[in-house]
Amino acid sequence: MTLTETSRWPAEAETLLDDLVDLRRAIHREPELGLQNPKTLAKIKDALSGLPLEFREGPSTTGLVAILRGGLAGNGGNARTVLLRGDMDALPLVEDTGLAFTSETSGAMHACGHDTHVAMLVGAAKLLCAARDRLPGTVMFMFQPGEEGHHGARFMLDDGLIDPLPDAAFALHIMPNAPHGIFAGRAGPLLASSDVLSITVKGAGGHASMPQDAIDPIPVACAIVTAIQTMVTRRISVFDPAVITIAKIAAGTTNNIIPETADMQGTIRTLSPHRRAMVAAELRRLVPAIAEAHGCTAEVAIEEGFPVTVCDSRAAAFGQRVVEETFGEAAWLTMDNPVMGAEDFAYVLEKVPGAMFWLGASEAGSDWRQCCGLHSNRMVLDEKVMARGAALHAALAERFLNEGFA
């Protein structure tokens, strides 16, 4: 058995499954939102207690970086460092799964699998600590809060928690409506950037019976929505796409008053920095012009969210090789297209070559197409896949420390 042989990891991870399930369920019962997840942090520290790890924490979040220095790391001057990441925070949802370990926190639920991500990363830490003597480098385990729109990865980077930067970074994300136990990924854009769009159209209020004496902002808002969609289909190449969704329009107070303003909110999603900048510029040009054509004014505000999640081509190919050698060729799926959701692991991948991979978590033997997806308050998953996730984390780390992307 060579140092980089990965076939042993699945069997070793299976011995940890009961502990991973217990940890996942404990976190699921007490979900926490945003950048401050103290209960989850305490559970992670308890699960990692007694392991040969160094801990780093910062002022901005309850994020934790646990560092494992391999027993062979000092034998050469070119020892590598690899980062493995798992996010911690939950979503503002009321759970409706009926699980025995359902959320006990009002208005919060782990509906994106972050509870499983933490458990898998803890499992990987235990596996790799047990193999410490044969590791020729350093592993950083990044437990990150604030992924759900709160920029937790950026804050942890700004706090210097992963300085000096590692040589590679990997993350796993479960997918409840994907085939059980299958890993998927791709080179290049994996997930989109996501920005928040806010538009206020200002007209002149008046009586509903005398619209000629007012300037109604509502039909102008409707015209703007139509113009935006025309812009998407006629100004933007399908080969470098954008998705702009106006998800909320609010105006007026009753049925016989023309309001003074109409407010709109939505999101902008793109797959390249160039397209992201172009869309923002076009919206700032188009929206006020449509409003002015109807005698109104309009203000456009764009709040930048996560950047595009771009997987390094070497890291994606490396991940595929490790999956196939660890679990067999049938365990890997190369994705034809990106997903237009967003991920703040993008901040790490802007600075470090690496990749994120999906892990199908539908119930074994079920019709995965019928399973509730991420962010559903009815989302459930097959916890048995957590052993596979922990095993892949460990396999990726060991192989990279020994061979790099080769």
Side-chain angles (χ1 to χ4, degrees):
M1 180 179 292
T2 65
L3 284 174
T4 57
E5 187 174 0
T6 60
S7 58
R8 67 182 178 277
W9 290 119
E12 293 184 15
E14 287 292 339
T15 68
L16 301 177
L17 182 57
D18 288 345
D19 289 342
L20 303 189
V21 168
D22 288 345
L23 176 59
R24 182 253 169 163
R25 293 183 179 188
I27 295 170
H28 193 94
R29 286 191 187 97
E30 295 187 291
E32 297 174 291
L33 306 177
L35 297 170
Q36 302 300 318
N37 304 167
K39 294 179 181 178
T40 307
L41 176 61
K43 293 180 179 70
I44 293 169
K45 286 184 172 180
D46 183 63
L48 297 177
S49 64
L51 298 178
L53 298 167
E54 304 168 19
F55 289 167
R56 291 181 184 174
E57 298 178 64
S60 301
T61 76
T62 53
L64 174 72
V65 175
I67 300 173
L68 172 64
R69 303 194 187 279
L72 302 178
N75 290 355
N78 297 314
R80 301 181 181 92
T81 298
V82 62
L83 180 143
L84 306 173
R85 178 271 212 163
D87 36 7
M88 299 162 58
D89 57 322
L91 284 159
L93 287 175
V94 177
E95 183 165 355
D96 188 23
T97 60
L99 295 170
F101 51 93
T102 193
S103 170
E104 298 171 0
T105 303
S106 177
M109 175 196 173
H110 273 290
C112 200
H114 298 184
D115 49 351
T116 67
H117 300 169
V118 169
M120 291 189 298
L121 194 55
V122 165
K126 291 183 176 181
L127 291 170
L128 290 166
C129 283
R132 177 178 179 272
D133 290 346
R134 62 175 183 262
L135 297 180
T138 299
V139 186
M140 306 176 80
F141 303 93
M142 182 182 182
F143 295 93
Q144 181 223 304
E147 192 282 323
E148 295 293 352
H150 298 276
H151 306 273
R154 189 187 70 198
F155 281 109
M156 291 183 71
L157 284 162
D158 290 346
D159 286 346
L161 296 187
I162 61 172
D163 288 338
L165 292 172
D167 299 295
F170 297 98
L172 293 178
H173 202 302
I174 62 98
M175 184 67 80
N177 52 343
H180 176 89
I182 296 296
F183 295 96
R186 70 189 310 272
L190 179 74
L191 291 128
S193 64
S194 179
D195 301 322
V196 176
L197 172 64
S198 299
I199 299 171
T200 297
V201 181
K202 186 173 182 180
H207 199 288
S209 67
M210 293 174 282
Q212 71 277 6
D213 296 327
I215 303 177
D216 191 345
I218 293 178
V220 179
C222 295
I224 288 171
V225 173
T226 301
I228 288 173
Q229 298 312 315
T230 300
M231 180 195 81
V232 168
T233 61
R234 289 296 175 268
R235 296 276 295 143
I236 296 174
S237 168
V238 296
F239 302 108
D240 187 10
V243 174
I244 306 175
T245 298
I246 301 299
K248 180 181 180 182
I249 301 178
T253 57
T254 188
N255 62 6
N256 63 349
I257 298 175
I258 293 172
E260 182 178 9
T261 61
D263 296 309
M264 296 180 280
Q265 289 188 334
T267 58
I268 307 165
R269 299 175 187 271
T270 65
L271 292 175
S272 71
H274 164 76
R275 182 62 67 219
R276 189 183 194 188
M278 176 267 190
V279 167
E282 283 293 298
L283 287 170
R284 292 188 173 104
R285 179 191 65 82
L286 176 69
V287 171
I290 296 294
E292 183 180 5
H294 293 278
C296 291
T297 60
E299 296 178 356
V300 178
I302 298 173
E303 178 185 349
E304 285 199 352
F306 302 155
V308 183
T309 301
V310 181
C311 296
D312 182 272
S313 59
R314 296 167 300 161
F318 171 83
Q320 179 178 352
R321 290 196 303 272
V322 173
V323 167
E324 291 178 347
E325 292 173 13
T326 306
F327 302 99
E329 292 185 6
W332 175 261
L333 173 67
T334 298
M335 299 167 60
D336 292 330
N337 302 301
V339 174
M340 295 306 285
E343 238 294 341
D344 82 342
F345 190 55
Y347 290 118
V348 176
L349 295 184
E350 283 186 324
K351 298 177 180 293
V352 180
M356 171 178 277
F357 306 115
W358 300 103
L359 170 55
S362 59
E363 191 73 27
S366 68
D367 181 358
W368 56 269
R369 297 173 183 84
Q370 302 302 315
C371 297
C372 292
L374 297 173
H375 290 217
S376 167
N377 67 339
R378 297 176 183 269
M379 190 206 82
V380 295
L381 51 86
D382 190 334
E383 294 171 315
K384 291 190 291 293
V385 301
M386 291 193 295
R388 291 172 74 85
L392 181 61
H393 269 312
L396 290 167
E398 183 192 36
R399 174 64 66 86
F400 183 80
L401 292 183
N402 277 283
E403 301 178 5
F405 289 128

